[in-house]
Amino acid sequence: MNRRPILLAALTLTATAALTLSACGSDDNSKSKDNDQRARADGRGDTSTSPTESAPQAAGRPEIKLPSDLTMNFEGGKTGDAVKDAVLADNAERMRAVNAAIAGTDPAAKAMNFYNTGRALEAAAVWVEKFKKANLGITGTIRYYDRTVTLDGSKAASVVFCADESKGYATEPFPTSA
């Protein structure tokens, strides 16, 4: 199996997220902070959801299955605010849905279509199509951290997060559905 590091999903980032990604690095040279970040990147740190399993399926929500060689770790899923926690849970499912479409475990992209609309859906579809055209799948471990939610009224929210894709890889060939 040929492995290549996954490129950042620049197509799916909004201008706000792009600006926030610059905050994902740390200017703090503290050894304890560096060790803590390394531990979490290795999957030994605190995670709010199981690495490979979707959150419990609510009525009407699609089940998302990832290949056994793809692990997604989401940190910071509990804020104490039920609405923000639900937004973070949906954010995790959105990322799982896009990666399931890339990995070929959801070739019809049903989950991706459920968790994305408008420009986000367009960007996600373009991203998945780029993997398909390059005949690539996805494997490894991806860590999502520093996830924060901003509520805008009662019907809108935004999530900003950092992603460590250094242990995630594109795989050849792209899985095909039977």
Side-chain angles (χ1 to χ4, degrees), residues 22-117:
S22 64
C24 291
S26 173
D27 291 333
D28 183 357
N29 291 327
S30 163
K31 285 187 179 188
S32 65
K33 186 172 184 176
D34 289 344
N35 287 339
D36 180 53
Q37 286 181 343
R38 263 189 239 111
R40 288 185 293 167
D42 289 340
R44 296 184 308 243
D46 179 38
T47 58
S48 62
T49 60
S50 172
T52 56
E53 295 178 14
S54 285
Q57 194 174 356
R61 293 181 181 270
E63 182 179 3
I64 301 171
K65 292 187 180 206
L66 296 172
S68 61
D69 62 345
L70 177 60
T71 302
M72 299 175 69
N73 294 316
F74 296 89
E75 297 175 9
K78 300 292 181 193
T79 65
D81 179 298
V83 173
K84 288 183 177 182
D85 291 352
V87 170
L88 287 171
D90 276 353
N91 167 255
E93 294 306 287
R94 178 209 181 263
M95 300 309 298
R96 282 188 181 99
V98 171
N99 285 335
I102 291 170
T105 56
D106 184 9
K110 289 180 183 178
M112 187 177 80
N113 289 311
F114 180 87
Y115 285 103
N116 292 277
T117 61

